[in-house]
Amino acid sequence: MASLNNQPSKKAIRTPGGSAGSSQGKANSSGQTVKFARRTSSGRYVSLSREDIDMSGELSGDYMNYTVHIPPTPDNQPMDTSVAVKAEEQYVSNSLFTGGFNSVTRAHLMDKVIDSEVTHPQMAGAKGSACMMPACDGKVMKDERGVDITPCDCRFKICRDCYMDAQKDTNLCPGCKEPYRMGDLDDDGPDYERGGALQLPGPDGNRDNMSMMKRNQTGEFDHNRWLFETRGTYGVGNAFNPPEDGGYDEGFGPGSMDATEKAFKPLSRKIPIAAAVISPYRLLIFIRFIVLCFFLHWRVVHPNNDARWLWMMSIVCELWFAFSWILDQTPKFFPINRATDLEVLIEKFDMPSPSNPTGRSDLPGIDMFVSTADPEKEPPLTTANTILSILAVDYPVEKIACYISDDGGALLTFEAMAEAASFADLWVPFCKKHNIEPRNPDSYFALKVDPTKNKSRTDFVKDRRKIKREYDEFKVRINGLPDSIRRRSDAFHAREEMKMLKHMRETGADPLEQVKVPKATWMADGTHWPGTWSVPSSDHAKGDHSGILQVMLKPPSPDPLMGGADDKLLDFTDVDIRLPMFVYMSREKRPGYDHNKKAGAMNALVRTSAILSNGPFILNLDCDHYIYNCKAIREGMCFMMDRGGEGICYIQFPQRFEGIDPSDRYANHNTVFFDGNMRALDGLQGPMYVGTGTMFRRFALYGFDPPNPDKVAAQKAATEATGDSETQKEPLTAPPAQTTQPLTASELDPDLDTNLLPKRFGNSTMLAESIPVAEYQGRPLADHPAVKFGRPPGILRVPRDPLDATTVAEAVSAISCWYEDKTEWGDRVGWIYGSVTEDVVTGYRMHNRGWHSVYCITKRDAFRGSAPINLTDRLHQVLRWATGSVEIFFSRNNAIIGSMKLKILQRLAYINVGVYPFTSLFLILYCFLPALSLYSGQFIVANVNVTFLAFLLSITICLIGLALLEVKWSGIGLEEWWRNEQFWLISGTSAHLAAVVQGILKVIAGIEISFTLTSKSAGDENDDVFAELHLVKWTWLMIPPIVIALVNIIAICIAVSRELYATNAQWAKLVGGCFFSFWVLAHLYPFAKGLMGRRGKTPTIVFVWAGLIAITLSLLWAAVAPPGGGGQAAGQFQFP
């Protein structure tokens, strides 16, 4: 049979446009043709075009790439674990792939990725034996333990390049001159006694290139399961369940029998709020609504004729506040709590069974995304710690793939990630061995608790001391990377200048002519960094560089790899030392293209991961949000894999923050939103997507509607009735055995024409083929009759395909700047473009198509991150959010025009998202009303009578009651609720107003809005961890709150002085005006405290400008409506 020894050497590098004899053999729709490039020993590339190769005859072995699928039998074992496949995987993980629009996709084999010593055995730069071939400086191939791979019994050490060349030339070992025998190594041969999951054709019987037949190339062979699922016999009789009735139920393997014989247990459950709390809460909402209606009616029919202007302004503001309160309060009618059962999840998916003796996991794969853009504002050490927490998560290692998107294309980030991958070789097994929490090393070593608590292993203290020293050295290396890169680049630049001078002398050029050598940024292996250079130049700037892809850690083996006492620095005996797949990506950027900021980077990650790993689920995290609970992924998977989980588009986890001052001055924890509003939305159609800490169903991100088994069954029945034999399949009816078939493209979306797939998803064939696979693998288990859209147990125990250069090159093509042209990426597919709050819009689109989401609050926080505790940074953060909401209001993403699939209360919640910034217009006016009342001596009502006070008292009591009950069912503190109220007024009078102005300017004048990235750094190193809290940085957003505060203070002073000297003092109106002024000032107290800073650091100009504006407004009011002077005694106070 044709085996992988016919695949091309890594020296034959191809673009993702295609390759001979493969599924990418045709030129893509963009006109990109297949190009080849051979990298010489000097690092240069020699291009070979396909036209230069004689195509008339038989192609040479250098460019052959074909596979013949022959069903595995005991006499015909798959050769996927051969040396060639391992060599190809190691080559991929040691190569830096670059490419883009109208450029050759190249694989740059790196001798080293970082200057320091690499500990992971398969990373570039790791210690290894030298190739024994003459004049070859390559390193011998290694397995996951770092042991040399020798493909011949004579143990002749040979590198991957020389091995592939020897195979293609003579297939003789250069050492003993004997032919290579594929698959005859003791450690590589199939192990029949391990009982792994069978990798056979899928339940539908298809054997195409995306079926289970292809996926079986990296697993073991099980005679019994092969006989069972193929209904065949071997020898005499059938070794497993003889088909006495002539057949079996389709769609189920042996694993499904174990699952269906057990009693069904739910993975999650809803916990309703206690009736003693929620019933009075709903009653108070209704009572306050009635009281507000009567109060507003009374206010309208009883105007203040003495100050009709004041009465009119107050009425308008109060009507809007009532409308805003209804939008905010009514979605809180049905809050719920949820709980998960991790033991049932383990029992269903991870426990050994007769068909799965080794307990290989049946859980679906998950791809984890981390995005970063600027290493100066997002420190690489913070990002590296986030990556380490992901690599150490408690989830089957072979099911995890971690991706980092570096939108800045910085070598600093690249090398920091390589350092993290190297350190993970120690950190991840250490966490597993001693059950460490949290698995962010920086947070773990900063804990103020006894580290030995609940630790029973005698070597824990010794191991912790060693790993702490290694982590300190790791931090020093990360912090020293900028200087290391600069010194290295300067040295190589000086060398290049000397070469140029020597060349000029040899050619007789003018010695006085200035040497022009571009100031490049150099990698550790002595080659140019293809991304952004420190000194920007053409093709090497932040907005102008090639796409970069590096598989830093290749996919792990499907079965555990136990460590030993002497393998590493620590004793990892009986500890699985495998590491998850880890990929660095920097998408291509070119001038003239709109790269759509974070949303564009996330969509590039979606496409890359679909081609490389295609996990049915996606978790996205900001670079400063790390996994605090290593079981958080399993908790989220309890909802996705439970009955009805196929209709869940994403699981939203609450955001929790560290490093915030104990008083939470600016409501950074935002607990009212995360524990109140989001918990309430969970009882409707689900919480909103808030940008990080979210587990997505990949299929939902592709813009499809949620699955409808009844509709699909009816469609299939209609297809069968018409006699369409090409698409006939069994209808998806109630019995699980008939509901486990993968869907065709027309069934995924009836409006989707398979011929127009490139119009929606782009021209990547691998991406298009991965969509139904992701949908099928993301279904819950069909282990209960009520599961109408499931999959049979056991099919996800199949190992993933090994990576090859063609697959990675296809992924490079998918991150090019032109890929999204004339597609629906950003419009219907993936993260949605057009708003700075792309997260809310993306979640809204899913809910608008009928999907549901779930809010997962874990006992131990799932994720933790950082938040800006500085007043200026906090205001700019809120400004960005509010501006995005204004954009949503003026766009087609306004929930007012949403589809009928959006529930009414969910619609009100989304309407509130677009409306809340406009409250600032009325809030600012209302904050000035007390001062205007005090200046004029009038009040918003004609008389402060019993009726007005009764209404005011009733509304206040309802407000207090609602606050206390909401605090009760949401679990937040009363002080947190008050901090939220304070910052609502601070942001409403500053950032929200600016957002409305900017949004209107964008809609009317087309003025684009740009925002700077929020800094994640903690400032200078000092003893005060909250030093940034007291730092005052001037911004014009501070002016409106300052003016409001000063105007109200001056108004109180003027009004009190006037009443003290007045003959007929109107104390009732004075008290009413002062009460509302104090209400305003109490809300602005945190703002004033933050403005004062520490040791008087506030710029003097701030107070000068604010005082000048306040005094001017006061004098202007006195000039327009001076107080009357009749009947005043001598010496009475006179307003100037």
Side-chain angles (χ1 to χ4, degrees):
M1 66 180 276
S3 61
L4 290 172
N5 62 338
N6 285 326
Q7 290 186 355
S9 166
K10 74 184 176 187
K11 297 176 183 178
I13 314 303
R14 70 202 67 188
T15 57
S19 61
S22 68
S23 60
Q24 285 76 37
K26 297 180 180 179
N28 56 39
S29 58
S30 65
Q32 186 179 12
T33 58
V34 179
K35 298 183 180 179
F36 298 85
R38 182 184 294 269
R39 183 174 184 266
T40 64
S41 58
S42 63
R44 299 184 61 185
Y45 292 90
V46 179
S47 297
L48 300 174
S49 64
R50 176 62 75 182
E51 289 75 11
D52 295 334
I53 302 173
D54 183 11
M55 301 297 292
S56 59
E58 183 179 0
L59 288 174
S60 66
D62 289 341
Y63 302 103
M64 293 299 291
N65 183 17
Y66 63 92
T67 303
V68 178
H69 292 296
I70 300 178
T73 63
D75 297 325
N76 175 37
Q77 290 300 308
M79 299 301 178
D80 39 74
T81 54
S82 63
V83 179
V85 174
K86 289 188 175 183
E88 184 72 9
E89 279 192 314
Q90 184 173 344
Y91 159 65
V92 168
S93 63
N94 287 349
S95 299
L96 183 74
F97 287 78
T98 60
F101 182 60
N102 280 339
S103 61
V104 176
T105 299
R106 293 174 171 173
H108 168 57
L109 184 61
M110 304 184 69
D111 298 328
K112 58 189 299 189
V113 291
I114 49 179
D115 292 323
S116 58
E117 180 181 348
V118 173
T119 60
H120 193 275
Q122 290 196 326
M123 284 185 63
K127 293 182 178 179
S129 304
C131 177
M132 298 175 66
M133 291 292 290
C136 179
D137 57 355
K139 292 183 179 179
V140 176
M141 300 174 289
K142 294 174 291 184
D143 61 12
E144 291 183 327
R145 295 183 183 274
V147 179
D148 293 343
I149 297 176
T150 53
C152 184
D153 290 338
C154 71
R155 302 302 176 187
F156 182 82
K157 295 182 178 181
I158 189 170
C159 68
R160 185 261 185 190
D161 276 351
C162 296
Y163 170 70
M164 299 298 285
D165 290 339
Q167 274 194 308
K168 289 179 293 185
D169 292 342
T170 61
N171 197 33
L172 297 179
C173 172
C176 63
K177 308 303 181 183
E178 294 291 330
Y180 281 120
R181 291 177 293 170
M182 299 303 299
D184 60 352
L185 295 182
D186 294 338
D187 57 337
D188 291 335
D191 187 353
Y192 299 105
E193 298 179 358
R194 283 195 282 179
L198 178 65
Q199 300 84 41
L200 287 172
D204 57 354
N206 289 340
R207 294 176 181 267
D208 57 12
N209 60 336
M210 296 304 293
S211 68
M212 293 297 110
M213 183 60 206
K214 176 182 177 184
R215 297 182 63 84
N216 76 340
Q217 293 185 355
T218 55
E220 299 83 11
F221 180 76
D222 188 324
H223 297 183
N224 295 337
R225 294 195 63 180
W226 176 78
L227 293 169
F228 175 81
E229 295 199 12
T230 58
R231 309 179 187 177
T233 58
Y234 182 71
V236 180
N238 199 321
F240 193 91
N241 281 358
E244 297 176 357
D245 56 353
Y248 302 91
D249 291 335
E250 293 188 6
F252 284 89
S256 62
M257 297 190 301
D258 301 334
T260 53
E261 288 175 357
K262 299 177 182 177
F264 177 80
K265 297 179 182 179
L267 294 171
S268 63
R269 65 186 187 275
K270 292 182 181 180
I271 303 177
I273 305 296
V277 175
I278 196 62
S279 296
Y281 182 76
R282 293 168 180 166
L283 180 62
L284 275 180
I285 293 177
F286 180 74
I287 292 174
R288 192 183 188 206
F289 175 75
I290 299 299
V291 172
L292 275 177
C293 291
F294 280 109
F295 173 69
L296 293 174
H297 176 265
W298 181 84
R299 291 276 284 118
V300 172
V301 299
H302 293 83
N304 184 357
N305 295 321
D306 295 334
R308 187 170 288 270
W309 56 272
L310 191 63
W311 167 81
M312 182 63 70
M313 287 190 295
S314 64
I315 284 292
V316 171
C317 293
E318 288 164 2
L319 286 171
W320 179 268
F321 293 152
F323 170 70
S324 179
W325 176 80
I326 291 173
L327 292 180
D328 180 69
Q329 196 69 54
T330 49
K332 296 181 181 179
F333 261 97
F334 305 102
I336 61 170
N337 291 317
R338 296 181 186 267
T340 59
D341 195 333
L342 293 180
E343 292 183 0
V344 175
L345 183 78
I346 295 174
E347 181 183 345
K348 279 191 176 185
F349 295 92
D350 293 337
M351 293 297 291
S353 64
S355 63
N356 184 28
T358 60
R360 184 180 289 180
S361 177
D362 195 26
L363 285 169
I366 182 168
D367 297 335
M368 305 191 192
F369 296 168
V370 178
S371 59
T372 183
D374 189 345
E376 295 182 0
K377 294 187 176 181
E378 298 171 329
L381 182 59
T382 301
T383 307
N385 280 309
T386 298
I387 296 297
L388 289 170
S389 72
I390 292 175
L391 298 180
V393 71
D394 183 7
Y395 200 76
V397 179
E398 68 275 12
K399 307 286 187 176
I400 304 172
C402 178
Y403 295 81
I404 173 76
S405 169
D406 177 18
D407 236 21
L411 179 59
L412 174 58
T413 303
F414 175 82
E415 294 198 0
M417 295 305 101
E419 290 280 4
S422 178
F423 179 68
D425 198 41
L426 290 175
W427 174 251
V428 173
F430 169 74
C431 292
K432 294 179 180 179
K433 178 181 179 180
H434 297 290
N435 195 23
I436 299 299
E437 285 280 20
R439 298 188 174 182
N440 174 330
D442 194 62
S443 299
Y444 170 70
F445 290 119
L447 292 176
K448 303 299 182 182
V449 297
D450 182 9
T452 62
K453 185 178 181 180
N454 300 326
K455 299 294 184 293
S456 57
R457 298 188 63 132
T458 56
D459 57 350
F460 169 71
V461 175
K462 180 180 65 175
D463 287 354
R464 187 180 187 276
R465 189 182 301 116
K466 290 181 179 180
I467 204 72
K468 178 65 168 62
R469 183 179 67 250
E470 292 296 322
Y471 178 64
D472 289 339
E473 294 178 358
F474 166 75
K475 288 197 297 183
V476 171
R477 292 196 300 270
I478 294 288
N479 294 331
L481 279 178
D483 289 338
S484 174
I485 294 173
R486 178 182 52 80
R487 290 194 303 268
R488 179 202 310 151
S489 299
D490 289 343
F492 279 113
H493 180 69
R495 186 194 69 177
E496 293 298 310
E497 285 186 333
M498 294 299 294
K499 285 184 177 179
M500 181 61 69
L501 285 172
K502 181 179 179 181
H503 177 72
M504 293 175 61
R505 296 193 196 98
E506 293 175 352
T507 57
D510 186 0
L512 299 179
E513 183 179 351
Q514 185 177 2
V515 179
K516 295 182 180 179
V517 178
K519 182 94 170 163
T521 298
W522 294 76
M523 293 189 290
D525 66 341
T527 57
H528 285 178
W529 168 243
T532 303
W533 288 354
S534 301
V535 180
S537 67
S538 178
D539 293 335
H540 296 284
K542 277 191 175 181
D544 183 16
H545 62 79
S546 301
I548 308 171
L549 200 64
Q550 166 79 55
V551 181
M552 291 187 168
L553 295 175
K554 75 177 186 67
S557 61
D559 295 307
L561 183 68
M562 298 303 175
D566 301 326
D567 289 345
K568 303 182 187 298
L569 180 67
L570 306 181
D571 181 3
F572 290 138
T573 303
D574 297 330
V575 177
D576 189 359
I577 61 174
R578 293 176 300 164
L579 295 180
M581 177 180 175
F582 179 39
V583 179
Y584 170 91
M585 185 211 77
S586 181
R587 57 184 172 140
E588 182 190 18
K589 287 189 173 182
R590 298 300 179 192
Y593 284 87
D594 185 1
H595 301 104
N596 297 296
K597 304 180 177 66
K598 179 182 177 181
M602 299 305 295
N603 284 339
L605 283 174
V606 171
R607 297 191 295 271
T608 300
S609 61
I611 295 171
L612 297 182
S613 54
N614 197 32
F617 298 100
I618 292 172
L619 175 73
N620 85 287
L621 294 172
D622 288 343
C623 65
D624 60 329
H625 273 70
Y626 67 91
I627 297 179
Y628 188 74
N629 180 357
C630 68
K631 297 184 183 297
I633 310 303
R634 291 182 177 269
E635 299 236 20
M637 206 61 70
C638 285
F639 298 105
M640 291 293 193
M641 293 292 102
D642 205 2
R643 183 172 56 189
E646 70 275 2
I648 299 175
C649 55
Y650 61 82
I651 307 293
Q652 179 62 62
F653 295 86
Q655 292 186 17
R656 306 301 187 200
F657 302 101
E658 295 178 331
I660 296 176
D661 58 298
S663 64
D664 193 14
R665 181 184 295 175
Y666 306 123
N668 288 97
H669 284 299
N670 212 359
T671 52
V672 172
F673 175 75
F674 286 115
D675 291 340
N677 296 57
M678 298 285 274
R679 196 191 301 260
L681 289 176
D682 197 19
L684 303 176
Q685 205 168 337
M688 302 175 185
Y689 168 41
V690 294
T692 184
T694 313
M695 181 192 294
F696 283 98
R697 182 180 298 276
R698 182 184 290 272
F699 181 68
L701 276 172
Y702 287 145
F704 294 105
D705 292 341
N708 187 339
D710 298 330
K711 183 178 179 181
V712 174
Q715 182 180 351
K716 287 193 173 185
T719 302
E720 290 178 351
T722 58
D724 188 352
S725 59
E726 292 182 359
T727 58
Q728 278 188 7
K729 287 184 182 179
E730 296 184 8
L732 297 184
T733 53
Q738 297 179 357
T739 61
T740 56
Q741 307 296 330
L743 300 179
T744 62
S746 60
E747 292 165 349
L748 295 176
D749 186 353
D751 299 328
L752 178 62
D753 186 351
T754 55
N755 297 323
L756 298 179
L757 278 176
K759 175 67 173 62
R760 178 176 293 188
F761 301 105
N763 56 12
S764 172
T765 305
M766 291 185 182
L767 174 60
E769 291 176 338
S770 71
I771 296 173
V773 176
E775 184 277 328
Y776 184 61
Q777 294 181 354
R779 298 182 190 177
L781 288 183
D783 57 354
H784 191 273
V787 180
K788 295 185 178 182
F789 212 79
R791 61 171 173 86
I795 65 167
L796 296 188
R797 298 183 189 132
V798 179
R800 70 177 70 186
D801 293 332
L803 288 180
D804 54 30
T806 304
T807 303
V808 181
E810 180 86 355
V812 173
S813 172
I815 62 174
S816 61
C817 60
W818 53 266
Y819 186 87
E820 294 183 355
D821 288 355
K822 299 179 181 180
T823 68
E824 296 186 12
W825 284 97
D827 180 48
R828 177 189 176 104
V829 181
W831 271 255
I832 307 302
Y833 301 152
S835 174
V836 295
T837 52
E838 73 287 333
D839 45 5
V840 177
V841 177
T842 302
Y844 164 74
R845 289 289 188 89
M846 295 182 185
H847 286 142
N848 198 41
R849 287 193 292 269
W851 290 92
H852 286 71
S853 57
V854 168
Y855 200 49
C856 182
I857 301 179
T858 55
K859 291 183 179 179
R860 178 183 175 87
D861 294 344
F863 311 100
R864 283 192 176 181
S866 61
I869 63 175
N870 177 265
L871 175 60
T872 304
D873 293 338
R874 177 72 165 131
L875 289 178
H876 280 289
Q877 182 187 56
V878 174
L879 172 62
R880 184 171 65 253
W881 295 344
T883 303
S885 295
V886 175
E887 291 175 340
I888 292 173
F889 181 80
F890 288 111
S891 70
R892 61 192 180 99
N893 296 311
N894 193 323
I896 296 175
I897 58 175
S899 71
M900 297 303 295
K901 297 179 181 179
L902 198 64
K903 294 184 178 180
I904 180 62
L905 294 183
Q906 189 83 16
R907 187 186 304 269
L908 290 179
Y910 273 114
I911 290 175
N912 188 41
V913 169
V915 164
Y916 83 87
F918 294 94
T919 303
S920 62
L921 301 174
F922 304 92
L923 184 60
I924 286 182
L925 180 60
Y926 208 71
C927 288
F928 278 112
L929 283 182
L932 296 176
S933 176
L934 293 173
Y935 283 144
S936 63
Q938 300 295 331
F939 196 50
I940 58 177
V941 295
N943 296 303
V944 184
N945 52 24
V946 176
T947 305
F948 174 76
L949 293 177
F951 276 123
L952 187 63
L953 181 61
S954 301
I955 293 174
T956 304
I957 292 176
C958 288
L959 175 65
I960 294 174
L962 286 172
L964 293 177
L965 290 173
E966 186 170 333
V967 164
K968 182 70 174 177
W969 63 254
S970 64
I972 62 177
L974 190 59
E975 184 180 1
E976 294 174 318
W977 181 88
W978 170 237
R979 284 282 182 258
N980 183 79
E981 292 295 307
Q982 288 179 312
F983 194 75
W984 169 77
L985 189 140
I986 294 171
S987 59
T989 56
S990 57
H992 294 177
L993 177 65
V996 172
V997 174
Q998 290 183 349
I1000 293 176
L1001 287 177
K1002 180 179 180 180
V1003 172
I1004 296 177
I1007 300 176
E1008 288 295 330
I1009 306 165
S1010 61
F1011 293 96
T1012 57
L1013 192 65
T1014 304
S1015 177
K1016 307 296 192 303
S1017 59
D1020 298 332
E1021 294 280 345
N1022 50 47
D1023 296 334
D1024 190 356
V1025 294
F1026 303 121
E1028 193 175 340
L1029 175 69
H1030 309 288
L1031 181 64
V1032 180
K1033 296 181 286 186
W1034 163 248
T1035 174
W1036 64 273
L1037 296 175
M1038 295 179 178
I1039 294 180
I1042 292 175
V1043 171
I1044 290 174
L1046 290 178
V1047 166
N1048 277 277
I1049 292 173
I1050 295 173
I1052 292 174
C1053 296
I1054 292 177
V1056 171
S1057 301
R1058 183 176 57 212
E1059 296 302 324
L1060 288 175
Y1061 288 99
T1063 55
N1064 298 319
Q1066 297 180 349
W1067 294 105
K1069 293 183 177 180
L1070 174 65
V1071 171
C1074 289
F1075 171 79
F1076 286 110
S1077 285
F1078 279 119
W1079 176 84
V1080 173
L1081 294 175
H1083 281 75
L1084 289 175
Y1085 172 72
F1087 174 82
K1089 193 174 180 180
L1091 195 66
M1092 300 303 293
R1094 177 188 290 173
R1095 297 183 297 275
K1097 291 184 178 180
T1098 306
T1100 307
I1101 191 63
V1102 173
F1103 299 102
V1104 172
W1105 287 350
L1108 180 62
I1109 294 175
I1111 295 172
T1112 303
L1113 290 175
S1114 302
L1115 294 178
L1116 180 62
W1117 174 254
V1120 173
Q1128 293 180 345
Q1132 184 177 355
F1133 172 78
Q1134 297 290 330
F1135 190 79

